[in-house]
Amino acid sequence: MYNDYGDEMSNQVDLDKYFKPDLNQARKRSKKTIEELSFNLSDAHQKIGVNKTYLIHTYGCQGNEADSETMAGILELMGFKKAVSEAESDLILINTCAIRENAENRIWGELGRLKAFKRQNPDLILGLAGCMPQEENVVERVLKKYQHVDIIFGTHNIYKLPEYVETAMFSKERVVEVYSQEGEIVENLPKVRNHHFKAWVNIMFGCDEFCTYCIVPYTRGKERSRSKEEVIKEVLELVEQGYLEVTLLGQNVNAYGKDFKDIDYTFGDLLRDLDQTGIKRIRFTTSHPHDLDKKTMEAMRDCQTVMPFFHLPVQSGSNQVLKKMNRHYTKESYLKVLNELKNIVPGISVTTDIIVGFPGETEDDFLETLDLVEQAQFEGAFTFVFSPREGTPAAKFVDDTPEEAKKQRLYLLNDKINQGYLKGNSRFVNQTVKVLVDGVSKYDESVLAGYTEHNKLINFKGHPKLIGQIVDVKVTLAKTWFLMGELA
Ligand code: 5AD
Ligand code: SF4
């Protein structure tokens, strides 16, 4: 079956027999109530992976990392064990990211590389999961040109992994099942967490913002919140298992609860309830300025466990660009919300995301962005050059800025952002800060590394037995990317 991996033969593939995605469907937002399902592994599926091994390669955001932990949880319930190497794996899943073209290019390269393993071991099962399969063009390309991929599934049906593995393994059939629209929220999913004291907790899925450059509302579907009971239950269980920190995940956590029909309960309420669970540190990502409300800011002020750190993507400082991006705020209103946040939560550290080279962005627009960065006093940022994503409105906008000019803008912006990083770190010199110790430094085993409450990376000398504890550290030196300190 796998004696030909070439492109020629691939043109004979009958594309229509598969359950493929459709971006037009993905754009639609239904009013239907989201049901809650409970995951249950059938007896037959529980033995499929016995004496077999798996690996999962994860790309992209924390949402994908959390999804990979679920995939690992399902596979281990099926009997699979984690493999030590690709060569020894019986199943390899690639959990993909579609946010920018370079993210996708890396994955195409990865798929090509894995062909060799499939040649050596034709029984190896290769699966493509996550955001890329939600795109029509991706699925067609995989079906035509990457015949060594056995399973293709998207973000909405991870819970069906046992079925897909069974079909690929026993019927030797290719499995392609990508739902264009979200389904139910599935609870009771097993997880193998990558960390022993820090955990991801999904609080909502999807995004309804439709920023014109962004593929996420298509790949992740409609905004839908997990019930507060399920979220609180998960955090309580984590506390019991010894976890110290949770990061609440959603594409727009500030919209949490806005889809609840029967109760008035939003993100600020959730923060207050989670503060009572006994967890030591609560973080969250990511936020939309347009949905950030005072209730959230006040909950941050009142709850000691909610860390004084906020990632608040601004994307641009130019009002005409923000409008074309469909961001629902202006430079002025963003700064107003930011100042309110800084007033209510004094000393809070704020970081952001910025895109340069959006179609039609002029030199003056870019200068507005630099000015906003100056005024906002960001202490860090993820910066990107605009990448057109097929199916999004901005991919069709006229874009006449030369690539060189875009690169130059990114360079200038990063320079300014780096000044903000250093300034943000410098304000802690000579202070004693609380650090959750993550592990030993990559470069020196006698040095520990961890994060402060303000999410600053800090290195200091100490015994590895401190890993997983929150300790006091006196900051002695600030560098652009990290702090140095000594145990207080
Ligand atoms: N091009 C460049 N950057 C993008 N982002 C999202 N879509 C694109 C795109 N098409 C960035 C935004 C977002 C972050 C996660 O990725 O800044 O906040
Ligand atoms: Fe994409 Fe905008 Fe939704 Fe963030 S808020 S995921 S940038 S559409």
Side-chain angles (χ1 to χ4, degrees), residues 211-227:
C211 303
T212 53
Y213 51 81
C214 189
I215 193 78
V216 169
Y218 308 84
T219 61
R220 292 266 168 188
K222 167 173 129 159
E223 249 165 43
R224 55 223 190 268
S225 305
R226 278 180 82 192
S227 77

Side-chain angles (χ1 to χ4, degrees), residues 205-337:
F205 305 97
C207 181
D208 286 348
E209 291 292 335
F210 286 97
C211 303
T212 53
Y213 51 81
C214 189
I215 193 78
V216 169
Y218 308 84
T219 61
R220 292 266 168 188
K222 167 173 129 159
E223 249 165 43
R224 55 223 190 268
S225 305
R226 278 180 82 192
S227 77
K228 67 171 194 161
E229 288 80 12
E230 288 291 344
V231 175
I232 294 170
K233 187 171 104 194
E234 184 171 343
V235 175
L236 285 170
E237 281 165 10
L238 288 165
V239 172
E240 212 163 274
Q241 292 159 17
Y243 281 82
L244 298 178
E245 180 175 300
V246 290
T247 300
L248 311 178
L249 296 181
Q251 297 303 332
N252 174 13
V253 293
N254 302 102
Y256 177 79
K258 292 191 175 169
D259 54 329
F260 292 153
K261 297 209 168 80
D262 43 351
I263 49 166
D264 177 15
Y265 187 91
T266 54
F267 188 55
D269 300 308
L270 183 67
L271 290 178
R272 285 184 193 275
D273 279 344
L274 294 180
D275 184 51
Q276 302 299 312
T277 54
I279 195 82
K280 295 276 187 277
R281 288 181 161 199
I282 300 171
R283 300 187 185 280
F284 51 85
T285 194
T286 187
S287 296
H288 194 297
H290 154 75
D291 285 311
L292 168 57
D293 57 10
K294 202 164 171 189
K295 210 161 133 184
T296 298
M297 301 179 197
E298 289 173 348
M300 292 186 79
R301 177 197 62 199
D302 298 341
C303 302
Q304 294 306 304
T305 61
V306 182
M307 294 294 102
F309 171 79
F310 213 109
H311 185 67
L312 194 60
V314 67
Q315 313 298 358
S316 169
S318 151
N319 287 342
Q320 75 104 7
V321 173
L322 288 168
K323 191 155 201 252
K324 278 177 77 177
M325 287 177 161
N326 193 33
R327 289 291 291 179
H328 306 289
Y329 56 82
T330 61
K331 177 185 186 183
E332 294 72 26
S333 67
Y334 178 90
L335 286 168
K336 193 162 166 248
V337 173

